């Protein structure tokens, strides 16, 4: 049936209007700004020539994560930018944070001690902070900060990971050697908690009070210093590295050394290579010219947590991101063989903990047989009934 002439003309005009209509402008990418704040106190004079932590530890991990996030973000119309500040005092750190906040940043990766993290949390109440620098257990158990997530494992997580391995190997008697700094005391407290938690006997505890050069006297001093009731393992709390490196092979009984030296629990290490980690390590070494350490990984994980949450929500509002990250709706990939997530009772990242010696991966915790009603990774660190602070 032939259409009337006026109807055909109307159709042609409509088609022409559609074809000639201007194209809608492409949507602008969502801009997500993240601040990096770094401050590490001067450790003071060291009694041993340890390899120092790189000055750019943490920042390099955050920068790599920005590159990784933008490689996928461009397909989702999302662009991530990092603004970095590495300073030499707590006051300068607070000033840098306020300057970044004035620029509009509300998401921060912080590589700083617990005291600075507390100050930043109070000064930036409308922001979301990721702790990539402090293993302080009080932040995760008794003094929670409601706007902070912890991508760096706390000392309790590290100690539990180590002591689980001792139990698995049936090393049931431990000698604990503790350094003089406040950090050493905190690490020792985490070890005591774990020994009690998993039923390992502490046969003796000794405080390291020597100030001599162990390079010349370790062979004479260490055997006598570690002479006590028989033990299966020597645990050492020496975060700064004053003496712990001289304990292996110098103890009264020929026993393994573990803790801050010897067999060490850590959030990340060069020897972690499975589950795609080797590719991450290679990309990092190409960028930074060195190995990736635990601070680098914690900062990388913080930025990647933001990117994963933004990709799901299509927004970067801090409280919305935090709520999603604390839920069970966003499993995170950290190249550790399991999906990672943040604990809703204290904001700490659930993650397997590698147990390493300087050039080899020995094991990974949680160890087989250490069960939990909901998530085996919650056998490491402070479980929900053990946390006394309100979070978030």
């Amino acid at each position: 049936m032939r259409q009337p002439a006026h109807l055909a003309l109307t159709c042609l005009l409509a088609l022409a209007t559609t074809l000639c209509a201007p194209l809608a402008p492409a949507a602008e990418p969502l801009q997500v700004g993240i601040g990096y704040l770094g401050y590490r106190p001067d450790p003071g004079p060291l009694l041993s020539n340890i390899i120092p932590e790189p000055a750019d530890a943490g920042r390099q991990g955050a920068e790599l994560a920005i590159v990784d996030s933008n490689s996928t973000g461009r397909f989702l119309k999302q662009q991530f930018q990092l603004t970095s500040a590495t300073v030499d005092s707590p006051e300068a750190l607070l000033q840098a944070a306020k300057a970044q906040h004035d620029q509009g940043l509300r998401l921060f990766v912080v590589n700083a001690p617990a005291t600075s993290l507390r100050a930043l949390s109070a000064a930036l109440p409308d922001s979301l902070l990721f702790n990539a620098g402090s293993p302080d257990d009080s932040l995760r158990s008794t003094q929670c900060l409601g706007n902070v997530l912890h991508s760096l494992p706390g000392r309790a997580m590290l100690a539990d990971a180590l002591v689980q391995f001792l139990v698995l190997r049936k090393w049931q008697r431990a000698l604990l050697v503790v350094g003089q700094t406040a950090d050493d005391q905190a690490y020792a407290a985490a070890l005591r908690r774990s020994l009690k938690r998993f039923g390992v006997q502490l046969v003796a505890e000794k405080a390291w009070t020597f100030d001599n050069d162990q390079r010349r006297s370790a062979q004479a001093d260490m055997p006598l210093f570690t002479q006590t009731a028989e033990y299966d393992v020597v645990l050492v709390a020496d975060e700064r590295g004053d003496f712990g490196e001289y304990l292996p092979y110098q103890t009264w009984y020929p026993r393994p050394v573990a803790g801050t030296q010897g067999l060490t629990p850590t959030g990340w290490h060069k020897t972690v290579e499975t589950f795609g980690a080797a590719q991450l390590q290679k990309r990092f070494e190409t960028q930074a010219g060195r190995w990736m350490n635990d601070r680098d990984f914690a900062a990388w994980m913080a930025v990647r947590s933001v990117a994963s949450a933004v990709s799901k929500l299509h927004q970067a509002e801090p409280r919305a991101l935090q709520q999603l990250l604390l839920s069970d709706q966003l499993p995170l990939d950290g190249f550790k063989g399991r999906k990672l997530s943040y604990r809703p009772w204290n904001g700490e990242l659930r993650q397997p903990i590698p147990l390493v010696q300087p050039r080899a991966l020995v094991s990974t915790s949680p160890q087989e047989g250490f069960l939990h009603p909901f998530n085996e990774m919650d056998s490491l660190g402070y479980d929900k009934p053990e946390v006394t602070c309100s979070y978030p």
Side-chain angles (χ1 to χ4, degrees):
M1 180 178 179
R2 298 180 62 185
Q3 294 181 338
H6 71 278
L7 182 57
L9 181 61
T10 301
C11 293
L12 289 173
L13 288 174
L15 179 60
T17 301
T18 301
L19 293 175
C20 296
L23 295 175
E28 290 294 325
L30 173 63
Q31 301 290 333
V32 182
I34 301 173
Y36 175 83
L37 300 168
Y39 160 61
R40 305 308 303 175
D42 184 349
L46 301 179
L47 302 182
S48 63
N49 290 337
I50 63 169
I51 300 173
E53 181 170 302
D56 57 359
R59 179 176 58 82
Q60 289 283 358
E63 290 180 355
L64 178 62
I66 290 291
V67 174
D68 292 346
S69 299
N70 281 329
S71 67
T72 55
R74 66 176 180 268
F75 298 107
L76 302 173
K77 300 294 184 181
Q78 296 164 0
Q79 186 172 8
F80 299 88
Q81 297 177 332
L82 188 72
T83 303
S84 299
T86 302
V87 299
D88 57 3
S89 72
E91 296 77 18
L93 186 74
L94 196 57
Q95 291 174 2
K98 290 179 179 178
Q100 292 183 3
H101 187 272
D102 290 343
Q103 296 172 17
L105 299 185
R106 297 296 182 269
L107 302 169
F108 297 91
V109 179
V110 182
N111 178 13
T115 52
S116 291
L117 186 64
R118 293 188 183 97
L120 292 173
S121 173
L124 307 171
D126 61 344
S127 302
L128 178 59
L129 285 66
F130 288 82
N131 171 24
S134 174
D136 186 276
D137 281 331
S138 67
L139 299 174
R140 300 157 170 85
S141 59
T142 59
Q143 301 173 18
C144 299
L145 304 175
N147 60 341
V148 175
L149 296 173
H150 306 278
S151 54
L152 185 78
R155 292 186 178 96
M157 280 189 69
L158 301 178
D160 285 347
L162 176 59
V163 176
Q164 282 189 10
F165 181 76
L166 304 187
V167 173
L168 189 70
R169 296 301 304 269
K170 303 188 186 306
W171 297 341
Q172 293 291 334
R173 300 168 297 176
L175 164 65
L176 176 59
V177 183
V178 185
Q180 303 180 50
T181 71
D183 288 340
D184 296 342
Q185 298 296 324
Y187 197 96
L191 286 172
R192 292 188 205 100
R193 169 188 169 274
S194 294
L195 294 173
K196 182 178 180 181
R197 188 182 197 190
F198 295 112
V200 176
Q201 180 187 1
L202 182 60
V203 299
E205 179 175 330
K206 295 196 173 188
W208 181 262
T209 58
F210 299 84
D211 58 1
N212 53 324
D213 189 344
Q214 284 306 306
R215 289 170 295 180
R216 292 191 293 268
S217 57
Q219 190 170 356
D221 290 345
M222 287 300 185
L224 293 176
F225 178 73
T226 55
Q227 185 177 4
T228 185
E230 189 171 0
Y231 43 82
D232 301 315
V233 60
V234 178
L235 299 179
V236 56
D238 176 26
E239 289 199 353
R240 195 168 66 168
D242 283 332
F243 64 92
E245 300 293 347
Y246 303 104
L247 273 169
Y249 312 107
Q250 303 287 3
T251 55
W252 182 257
Y253 296 104
R255 300 293 185 265
V257 173
T260 52
Q261 284 80 30
L263 179 64
T264 304
T266 182
W268 192 257
H269 193 263
K270 162 63 178 175
T271 56
V272 177
E273 295 183 330
T274 55
F275 306 110
Q279 286 71 32
L280 176 63
Q281 303 273 24
K282 184 176 181 180
R283 295 201 310 275
F284 183 88
E285 290 169 21
T286 299
Q287 171 187 288
R290 60 172 177 82
W291 293 356
M292 189 181 210
N293 67 16
D294 58 341
R295 262 66 176 179
D296 294 313
F297 179 76
W300 182 88
M301 197 69 227
V303 174
R304 293 298 294 143
S305 297
V306 169
S308 297
V310 168
S311 296
K312 188 174 181 67
L313 293 178
H314 304 288
Q315 60 157 304
E317 197 280 318
R319 294 284 82 79
L321 298 183
Q322 182 179 17
Q323 185 176 2
L324 176 61
L325 288 168
L326 291 171
S327 73
D328 58 358
Q329 302 302 309
L330 190 67
L332 302 169
D333 184 12
F335 299 103
K336 288 191 170 186
R338 302 191 188 191
K339 292 300 181 181
L340 314 183
S341 60
Y342 289 89
R343 292 169 176 154
W345 55 84
N346 66 359
E348 185 170 33
L349 183 68
R350 296 181 178 99
Q351 55 181 309
I353 300 297
L355 304 176
V356 303
Q357 53 141 311
R359 292 187 177 273
L361 175 67
V362 176
S363 186
T364 302
S365 290
Q367 298 293 322
E368 185 176 355
F370 288 86
L371 306 178
H372 187 276
F374 305 106
N375 190 322
E376 291 179 7
M377 286 187 287
D378 288 336
S379 67
L380 306 177
Y382 282 91
D383 203 356
K384 184 175 182 179
E386 300 174 289
V387 173
T388 59
C389 50
S390 177
Y391 181 88

